[in-house]
Amino acid sequence: MLLSSIFQLFLFLSSFSWTAFGSKEDVVREFFANNGDSTLTGSTHTNNWAVLVCASKYWFNYRHMANALGMYRTVKRLGIPDSNIILMLADDAACNSRNKFPANVFANPGRALDLYGDNIEVDYRGYEVTVENFIRVLTGRMEPSVPRSKRLLTDDRSNVFVYMTGHGGNEFLKFQDSEEISAHDIADAFEQMYQKKRYNEIFFMIDTCQATSMYSKLYSPNIFATGSSQVGENSYSYKNDNDLGVSTIDSYTHYVLEFMEGINKTSRTTMADLFDSYDVKAILSHPGVRDDLFHRHLNETLITDFFGGVANVEVSSEHVVHGRPDNIKSAPISREISSDQEKPMPRRQSPIPSNSREPGGSKWRTWGSCILVGTLVGWVTLTK
Ligand SMILES: *[C@@H]1O[C@H](CO)[C@@H](O)[C@H](O)[C@H]1NC(C)=O
Ligand SMILES: *[C@@H]1O[C@H](CO)[C@@H](O)[C@H](O)[C@H]1NC(C)=O
């Protein structure tokens, strides 16, 4: 009786010491935290994603498709790969029989720039573009059969740019002319993403009538948003193309894209610069910005934190000799572990329990195992 309870005690202790595997995780976490700090703006993301939605169908909404395709072209040019872009187009203007220029979608009246081209991957098209599918993409609640290319495979290190365009009103956006998504739906979807650790930061942009109402209900942290028009105000299209017979793009998106043309992968231009560039007279509506949920200053948030693919590398000044393990210095690793206490932790706690950050874990594990084996042998001998 006594022996078996001692045995259980040791079993408990040794299994406890087995959980002390976390020091390597700490090093990795430190690595990314340091990298984030070294980008000056303090963003700690390690990957970028974009969700671009055109919610309108029909030929006369050509401009909404051009809006989304213009954003697609821009995020791709700035480095987000197709694998990290979810493009949802509710209709296919390029293949519409009324399109005088088949397989082309132009963003400007002079038809200087074809947005469609050969190098485009539409992930959800036509009747696949539904409120349900959009929310499933955001929250990651998918049937197992849904292919990888249709999934938003983000984590808590992902910066996500969400762009939406279509016809809307006060706190809703029409999908497919048959259903609507409400401002509450979007707010709740973002909250689910937050709870499921599916983002680091979100930049939400919307071009529709009364656009600012669509982000008025957001309540999850680390999100900032902008929209083309205030409540009670319409958003307007840019110019008509006389050959196509429709307007090619919306005014707000046109000016945002024009601003983005001046940005490249190394630009230090900030979100505040973008928002300062809004010209009410040109856009014809009053764009809004919301940043009360966001933890950084917009004047210190780079545009490329959202419109670009990150590729962080760390250059070590340490001289490392390969092939002779005793010469490889372990100094940087132990420094990072010892400085762990002074450094502020990342905002969100990782699932690793805090007792795992004990550097002597492997020693305890060895002792725990020895004692466990000894006890087992003793117990077996005694019970015989
Ligand atoms: C990026 O743009 C800046 C000016 O905005 C320019 O100085 C720089 O050369 C550009 N870099 C590349 C790689 O084009
Ligand atoms: C950004 O704005 C805040 C106040 O809004 C100010 O304290 C900070 O110094 C500004 N940062 C830069 C880089 O201008």
Side-chain angles (χ1 to χ4, degrees):
M1 197 59 192
L2 180 69
L3 268 176
S4 98
S5 54
I6 289 174
F7 167 68
Q8 271 172 2
L9 179 69
F10 277 126
L11 195 65
F12 169 71
L13 281 178
S14 87
S15 73
F16 191 68
S17 70
W18 275 103
T19 63
F21 64 91
S23 53
K24 270 188 190 142
E25 298 270 352
D26 272 348
V27 173
V28 172
R29 191 161 47 200
E30 277 292 313
F31 171 80
F32 285 119
N34 287 341
N35 259 330
D37 290 340
S38 70
T39 63
L40 280 180
T41 58
S43 178
T44 51
H45 68 292
T46 56
N47 55 86
N48 283 89
W49 288 76
V51 181
L52 312 171
V53 184
C54 159
S56 312
K57 58 190 280 187
Y58 301 131
W59 172 245
F60 55 83
N61 292 319
Y62 184 107
R63 62 184 189 280
H64 294 159
M65 282 154 262
N67 289 345
L69 287 168
M71 284 294 164
Y72 174 79
R73 176 182 170 278
T74 298
V75 295
K76 244 175 111 164
R77 179 176 65 82
L78 292 173
I80 304 188
D82 258 324
S83 56
N84 288 25
I85 302 173
I86 306 290
L87 177 60
M88 307 179 97
L89 294 183
D91 205 344
D92 195 351
C95 300
N96 194 295
S97 55
R98 278 192 256 182
N99 193 348
K100 273 180 79 175
F101 307 94
N104 291 309
V105 174
F106 296 102
N108 35 18
R111 296 190 303 279
L113 177 65
D114 174 25
L115 293 173
Y116 214 75
D118 298 326
N119 199 10
I120 168 169
E121 265 183 48
V122 185
D123 300 293
Y124 290 79
R125 67 167 76 234
Y127 289 108
E128 286 181 325
V129 181
T130 59
V131 173
E132 180 181 333
N133 279 347
F134 173 64
I135 289 183
R136 283 187 185 279
V137 164
L138 292 183
T139 57
R141 295 177 190 278
M142 295 276 189
E143 295 287 325
S145 60
V146 173
R148 249 183 109 78
S149 62
K150 290 188 164 196
R151 292 170 185 260
L152 186 69
L153 299 168
T154 53
D155 54 31
D156 61 355
R157 290 294 187 173
S158 309
N159 274 12
V160 188
F161 170 53
V162 180
Y163 174 84
M164 302 185 84
T165 182
H167 287 287
N170 196 356
E171 295 181 13
F172 71 87
L173 177 73
K174 280 207 294 191
F175 266 65
Q176 295 281 357
D177 222 23
S178 58
E179 53 174 353
E180 292 163 1
I181 190 168
S182 78
H184 290 280
D185 295 333
I186 291 181
D188 291 342
F190 284 171
E191 176 63 15
Q192 276 194 47
M193 289 178 76
Y194 176 68
Q195 298 288 346
K196 293 176 79 178
K197 297 194 193 304
R198 282 175 63 76
Y199 72 83
N200 174 54
E201 294 167 346
I202 290 180
F203 174 31
F204 180 69
M205 181 186 277
I206 181 159
D207 188 343
T208 182
C209 297
Q210 315 199 37
T212 59
S213 68
M214 284 306 284
Y215 57 70
S216 60
K217 303 298 173 202
L218 300 184
Y219 55 94
S220 311
N222 303 332
I223 302 178
F224 68 107
T226 185
S228 56
S229 53
Q230 302 293 330
V231 175
E233 193 178 46
N234 286 339
S235 291
Y236 294 96
S237 59
Y238 187 57
K239 290 176 182 145
N240 281 353
D241 181 280
N242 292 334
D243 292 322
L244 286 167
V246 287
S247 40
T248 45
I249 198 162
D250 276 318
S251 189
Y252 169 78
T253 299
H254 170 80
Y255 287 105
V256 169
L257 290 177
E258 196 175 73
F259 183 85
M260 289 297 170
E261 284 303 299
I263 308 290
N264 61 30
K265 289 178 190 176
T266 54
S267 296
R268 310 297 296 170
T269 314
T270 65
M271 288 293 171
D273 296 329
L274 168 65
F275 301 147
D276 288 344
S277 80
Y278 286 165
D279 179 354
V280 172
K281 279 203 192 104
I283 296 175
L284 303 173
S285 58
H286 296 75
V289 176
R290 180 172 174 199
D291 68 348
D292 57 312
L293 299 167
F294 198 56
H295 62 118
R296 295 195 276 154
H297 288 303
L298 294 182
N299 60 359
E300 291 162 4
T301 305
L302 295 183
I303 287 182
T304 50
D305 284 351
F306 292 88
F307 286 78
V310 282
N312 281 338
V313 287
E314 187 167 83
V315 181
S316 169
S317 52
E318 202 91 27
H319 181 66
V320 177
V321 180
H322 292 282
R324 292 172 63 190
D326 47 328
N327 268 8
I328 296 175
K329 292 193 176 169
S330 58
I333 291 175
S334 52
R335 175 170 49 83
E336 274 179 352
I337 289 171
S338 62
S339 64
D340 200 48
Q341 264 73 37
E342 301 125 42
K343 288 223 160 125
M345 281 292 292
R347 280 169 299 107
R348 233 170 293 148
Q349 290 289 336
S350 88
I352 307 160
S354 54
N355 64 10
S356 67
R357 43 182 48 249
E358 184 187 333
S362 64
K363 203 172 100 189
W364 281 110
R365 194 191 309 162
T366 318
W367 276 110
S369 308
C370 286
I371 293 169
L372 173 67
V373 169
T375 319
L376 261 176
V377 169
W379 183 59
V380 168
T381 327
L382 276 176
T383 47
K384 261 191 176 171

